[in-house]
Amino acid sequence: MSDDTATDTPTDATASGDGRISLPVLAADPNATLESSGPQRRQTRQVTVGPVGVGSDHPITVQTMTVTPTHEVDTTLQAIAMVQAAGADLVRIAVPRQEDADVLADIAGHAQIPVIADIHFQWKYAVAAIEAGCAGVRINPGNIKKHDKVRLIGDMAKERGVAIRIGVNGGSLEDEVLEEFGGPTPAAMVESALRETRLLEDVDFFNTKISVKHSDPWVMIQTYRLLAERTDYPFHLGVTEAGPKYSGSVKSAIGIGALLAEGIGDTIRVSLSADPIEEVKAGMLMLESLHLRERGLDVVSCPSCGRAQVDVWTLAEEVQKGLDGEIDVPMRVAVMGCIVNGPGEAREADIGVAAGNGKGEIFRKGERIATIQEADIVEALVHFAKELQEEIRAERGEGRPEVLGV
């Protein structure tokens, strides 16, 4: 794509008399299966964050943010290593103080995934992050307001190959934008983002990602949809301040998931009041659920009902615990507890059990391979899952992973 400033494009959305938005229905795939590819993605410019590509030509990446005091270098590097092990492709660190800015070179130089410095208010910290070798910086138009400093950041980032995310947030919009639009509306957030892109484009900087986050998933969805009509920059998706693990995951799945299903989004962060590892897990599961990333372990189980003849809740939890950390290849394991959907769902999975009347029928790739006592179900499923994993590895030409001492 060219580096020309993006121009407005028409939309197929229409507004009804009461202000509700009517959107075109996405085309359905009548032949979709477990093996189908995911949604067709919106075409974007391509951005590089260190060695990681972000945009429609690259896989959607998952990122999170450390919660350690950044100036505590060893602690922060350990936190980065832990989220990397959980599957994070990128990591963001806060830089609220000079002591944090002073250690960025140590962190960026030792982290094994690209480090993005999160900058608010202090443009000098963005300069320090670029000079320290961070792969990217996030700047907020709502609190870095000097246009000449934004252009300076763009100039320096262009010279050093650093990516910039324009991170607009509904809770910190510029006063003039709020006054013009009457509040943090989708139109207001989009305008804030596009004004900032123009400042960077003034110095021929185009290695830009954009986020327009809001704490309300519905408002967030409308904002990204509107922005997608106005520009071809890649998007970082997220519902800001989503909340604790349970409610935050639900809100994020709605907001992020709806957009991903429409092909919108190039990198995601699930913002939770929880361990960053939980954010990574949730993000990975969203991508796997939409066939946007090769799935790993996927335990499916029935919700239980009056037909259930086994404690499905406990059984599913025990199977999940028994397989977590043991399976690293794509595998769906079904735990079913009744005679209605149980056998069919178990046959559809790679490994499955249909349990009832004190027994469990074990299925492998659609074939019944064993009938066992209820007390042995978990052990049997773990055994057969590991056995299948070895076969999958052999088919791929992969050996057993080794843990090397250091």
Side-chain angles (χ1 to χ4, degrees):
M1 295 187 181
S2 71
D3 282 344
D4 297 329
T5 302
T7 56
D8 292 355
T9 57
T11 174
D12 293 329
T14 58
S16 62
D18 59 5
R20 290 179 296 175
I21 297 175
S22 175
L23 293 154
V25 177
L26 296 176
D29 179 1
N31 300 310
T33 69
L34 293 177
E35 309 305 323
S36 297
S37 58
Q40 181 176 349
R41 292 178 56 194
R42 160 183 169 265
Q43 294 300 298
T44 73
R45 302 170 186 243
Q46 308 310 310
V47 168
T48 55
V49 186
V52 176
V54 176
S56 54
D57 289 352
H58 305 280
I60 297 172
T61 53
V62 174
Q63 58 181 276
T64 186
M65 191 169 183
T66 59
V67 295
T68 58
T70 298
H71 64 273
E72 296 181 5
V73 175
D74 290 344
T75 304
T76 300
L77 284 171
Q78 183 179 20
I80 292 173
M82 291 175 68
V83 298
Q84 179 187 6
D89 304 294
L90 305 167
V91 67
R92 183 158 43 112
I93 58 176
V95 189
R97 297 171 294 270
Q98 184 62 50
E99 59 186 335
D100 301 314
D102 291 342
V103 300
L104 289 176
D106 283 341
I107 293 173
H110 290 90
Q112 300 300 303
I113 54 176
V115 173
I116 301 167
D118 192 61
I119 309 298
H120 295 269
F121 300 105
Q122 295 288 347
W123 63 270
K124 293 180 180 179
Y125 295 166
V127 170
I130 294 169
E131 292 178 337
C134 288
V137 295
R138 179 271 178 108
I139 57 175
N140 185 339
N143 53 49
I144 298 182
K145 300 182 179 181
K146 295 181 179 179
H147 291 181
D148 60 328
K149 303 306 181 187
V150 174
R151 293 188 182 97
L152 172 63
I153 293 169
D155 250 336
M156 294 188 64
K158 179 178 65 174
E159 180 181 337
R160 296 177 183 249
V162 174
I164 293 177
R165 172 162 69 94
I166 297 172
V168 176
N169 191 298
S172 59
L173 286 177
E174 307 95 302
D175 291 339
E176 60 270 23
V177 172
L178 288 171
E179 182 177 352
E180 179 179 348
F181 290 89
T185 64
M189 288 188 283
V190 167
E191 181 60 27
S192 174
L194 293 181
R195 288 181 184 181
E196 198 82 347
T197 62
R198 294 181 194 114
L199 295 176
L200 295 176
E201 289 169 348
D202 284 346
V203 293
D204 294 325
F205 184 85
F206 300 94
N207 197 32
T208 304
K209 301 178 275 104
I210 303 177
S211 64
V212 280
K213 297 186 180 183
H214 198 282
S215 58
D216 184 290
W218 180 242
V219 176
M220 170 263 198
I221 290 169
Q222 307 313 315
T223 306
Y224 278 100
R225 283 172 171 170
L226 182 60
L227 185 62
E229 298 169 3
R230 302 282 302 278
T231 185
D232 62 359
Y233 284 111
F235 293 165
H236 165 126
L237 300 185
V239 176
T240 192
E241 301 158 357
K245 180 179 174 181
Y246 174 74
S247 59
S249 295
V250 172
K251 291 178 185 177
S252 296
I254 292 169
I256 297 173
L259 290 166
L260 290 176
E262 296 175 8
I264 296 173
D266 306 284
T267 183
I268 65 173
R269 182 207 172 179
V270 180
S271 299
L272 303 175
S273 300
D275 190 319
I277 290 175
E278 298 301 327
E279 296 187 349
V280 177
K281 289 180 179 178
M284 298 281 284
L285 185 55
M286 286 183 196
L287 295 181
E288 291 173 6
S289 298
L290 286 167
H291 296 204
L292 288 165
R293 181 174 288 212
E294 182 180 69
R295 61 185 172 93
L297 173 65
D298 182 16
V299 176
V300 298
S301 59
C302 65
S304 191
C305 68
R307 294 189 300 269
Q309 298 172 335
V310 67
D311 183 355
V312 180
W313 298 347
T314 300
L315 184 59
E317 287 290 339
E318 290 179 351
V319 170
Q320 183 79 59
K321 290 178 182 178
L323 293 174
D324 276 345
E326 300 291 337
I327 303 299
D328 57 13
V329 300
M331 186 179 301
R332 175 169 293 211
V333 178
V335 181
M336 309 303 293
C338 82
I339 61 173
V340 177
N341 297 319
E345 289 287 352
R347 287 191 182 94
E348 284 292 312
D350 298 303
I351 296 290
V353 60
N357 292 325
K359 297 181 180 180
E361 292 186 344
I362 305 294
F363 293 84
R364 181 186 184 280
K365 296 287 187 179
E367 299 292 330
R368 184 187 291 108
I369 59 174
T371 299
I372 58 175
Q373 295 300 308
E374 182 178 324
D376 300 324
I377 288 176
V378 175
E379 181 181 357
L381 282 179
V382 171
H383 167 77
F384 288 120
K386 289 181 177 179
E387 188 176 78
L388 178 59
Q389 175 172 248
E390 293 305 313
E391 293 182 20
I392 294 172
R393 285 178 180 158
E395 290 173 359
R396 293 178 165 192
E398 301 173 356
R400 182 185 297 274
E402 296 183 11
V403 178
L404 302 177
V406 293

